[in-house]
Each structure stands twice: as C-alpha cells, then as structure tokens.
Amino acid sequence: QLSSICVILDLCMMFTVLQRAARVSRRSYSSQAIAFSHKTEGKVYELRTYNVAPKDMTNFINTTNELFHLRTAASPLVGYWTTEIGPLNSVVHIWEYDSLSHRAQVRANLGGNQDWVQQYIMKVRDMWQFQKSSLMVPLTETLDVPSQPGVYELSYGKTLEAGNVPTESKLVGKWKIILGEPLEVALYHHTNIDAVVPRLQASKGTQDAALLIPTQFSPLK
C-alpha cells in the first residue's frame, strides 16, 4: 500500500514537471515572434481577412492561439483581430514585409515548414469559408502603438479624412491599397468603445468600417 502511494506521488510530481515544461516551451515559442517596426518607411503591408464557419469560430481561435507561434516566427505580425461589428465570424490580420520578394520568400519557407503545414494549416483549412488579401503601402511614417488595451476600428474609403478625433481615440496607422480594391485604410484604437461612434460621425470619406477586438496573441492590444 505504501508502495502504491509512492507511485502516485511520483506520477503527480512528473505531471507537475511536464506542466511547467509545457509553459516554458510556450513562452520560448512566443519569444521567437518577430516584432514589427514602428517606422514604416520602405515597408509593405498585407491585410488579410478570413471568414470562418460560425460553428468552427471558437475552435479556430483556440487552435490559432495555441499554434500561431509557428507563423509569427517567420515574419512580423502587426495585429490580429476578430470582428465585433462588420463581417461577422471573421478575423483580420496585418503583416509587415520589407518587400514583395521578402513576402514571397516567407511564404515559400512556410510552405516547406512541415510543423506549420501539418500542425496548423491541416487543422484549420476546412474552417475557412472565404479569404481575402490586399497589399498596402503606408501613408503614415510611423505606427502609433497604443500604451493600453482597447478596441480597434478599421475604416475604408477613397480618401479618408479623420475630422475631430475623440481624446479616447488615436490613429495607429494609415495605408493605401495598391493590390486589391484601391482604397485608403485607417486603423484607429479606442480606449473607450463609445468613442467609435463620434469618431465615425466626424470622419469624411469613410465607405465601410469594422469594429475589431484584438486576440490574445495580437501584438496590438
């Protein structure tokens, strides 16, 4: 009987050690993520939107949260959001590249990365219903990274004019789509969700907008 108790204690200790090792492993993967540059000069950006089957949305976000370190180790992720208002059951993400050739190399490397393909892509590809990609160039010299969490607004228009921006809001960055529908894109951060309405009311040229919630793994919070 004493022997059985010792075996159980040993198993409990082993389980604790494995849990700690898993946490360390996840932290080490996270630390491999490549940070995006606050300066935008010479950069190109890709705006990607995926529509996910409603029944799969929770599973998709959980799987992405667990395994997306495999992707962010390859090139800088600016932000990753779910849509609260706008195209529902969708995720929006923005990627930074040095050039189109840099993007092509990253994509080729990912295609040959069996961990990325087998562990992530094979799990989520049937969850996607629609994918859209646009290439953008910056219209602001820097990305104004928020110092506190909040919600985001992504606005589209031929020519965007901000108008009076509420004190709880700030322009993070602005881009022009050069491959895709030729629109300007502006990303705003709001520390108070109620600031979204007056900001949009004061803006000029906005043709469409979405309210975004940053995911747990998004660099922009």
Side-chain angles (χ1 to χ4, degrees), residues 5-19:
I5 293 173
C6 290
V7 169
I8 292 172
L9 289 174
D10 286 341
L11 289 173
C12 289
M13 290 178 64
M14 183 180 296
F15 181 71
T16 301
V17 169
L18 289 172
Q19 281 187 314

Side-chain angles (χ1 to χ4, degrees), residues 39-170:
K39 294 183 178 181
T40 63
E41 184 179 1
K43 303 293 185 182
V44 295
Y45 296 82
E46 185 178 11
L47 172 65
R48 297 179 73 91
T49 302
Y50 298 167
N51 183 255
V52 181
K55 66 181 179 62
D56 294 323
M57 191 64 179
T58 299
N59 188 23
F60 175 80
I61 291 298
N62 290 340
T63 301
T64 304
N65 182 51
E66 178 187 355
L67 296 170
F68 217 54
H69 58 268
L70 297 169
R71 176 62 185 84
T72 54
S75 66
L77 172 66
V78 176
Y80 199 113
W81 303 269
T82 59
T83 53
E84 180 67 16
I85 297 176
L88 297 180
N89 300 302
S90 295
V91 294
V92 175
H93 32 131
I94 298 176
W95 297 89
E96 174 197 285
Y97 297 100
D98 295 332
S99 62
L100 272 178
S101 58
H102 175 218
R103 177 187 179 277
Q105 185 60 59
V106 168
R107 303 292 295 177
N109 292 343
L110 286 168
N113 183 335
Q114 290 306 303
D115 287 341
W116 168 246
V117 173
Q118 296 298 327
Q119 294 183 36
Y120 182 74
I121 295 297
M122 297 298 288
K123 286 183 179 179
V124 302
R125 65 179 183 177
D126 291 335
M127 302 179 190
W128 295 326
Q129 294 186 317
F130 172 80
Q131 293 176 283
K132 182 180 179 180
S133 172
S134 301
L135 184 73
M136 310 187 298
V137 293
L139 296 176
T140 51
E141 294 182 353
T142 60
L143 296 182
D144 193 354
V145 178
S147 59
Q148 52 187 315
V151 299
Y152 287 79
E153 165 213 330
L154 194 66
S155 293
Y156 303 82
K158 292 289 185 183
T159 303
L160 295 176
E161 297 180 21
N164 294 321
V165 179
T167 56
E168 302 102 323
S169 308
K170 70 187 298 184

